[in-house]
Amino acid sequence: MLNFAINAAYVILGIALVLTFVRLMRGPSLPDRVIALELVALLTVGVIAVYTVATGVPAFLDVAIVLALTSFLAAIGFARYIEKGGPRDE
């Protein structure tokens, strides 16, 4: 049963990644693309978490935590950039 759940999670995360990449390529404005990039990072954290459950190696969670923190800092940096008058629409 756990293997089925892990495989289902991989499929769902894979579909979400594909749809997010489509949004990243087509995004009409810069904020849309940045949000899509943040979602890619979040989905990657999810894939790493599922892989950690599948393998039982907890060291991969450190990678997921670092990726999540880096993504959060990038979001803060982009928000500051928009706040300072960066381009809002293309």
Side-chain angles (χ1 to χ4, degrees), residues 19-31:
L19 293 175
T20 304
F21 274 117
V22 169
R23 184 63 176 176
L24 181 66
M25 293 297 136
R26 297 185 65 194
S29 67
L30 182 61

Side-chain angles (χ1 to χ4, degrees), residues 28-32 78-79 81-90:
S29 67
L30 182 61
D32 291 334
F78 181 72
Y81 174 70
I82 292 292
E83 183 182 76
K84 297 286 182 183
R88 295 172 191 252
D89 293 327
E90 288 184 354

Side-chain angles (χ1 to χ4, degrees), residues 2 6 14 18 31 51 66 69-70 74 85 90:
L2 182 63
I6 289 171
V18 168
Y51 185 74
V66 169
L69 287 175
T70 304
E90 288 184 354

Side-chain angles (χ1 to χ4, degrees), residues 5-6 10 12-13 18 27 35 48-49 53-54 75 77 82 84-86 88:
I6 289 171
Y10 278 137
I12 291 170
L13 288 170
V18 168
I35 294 299
I48 292 171
V53 170
I82 292 292
K84 297 286 182 183
R88 295 172 191 252

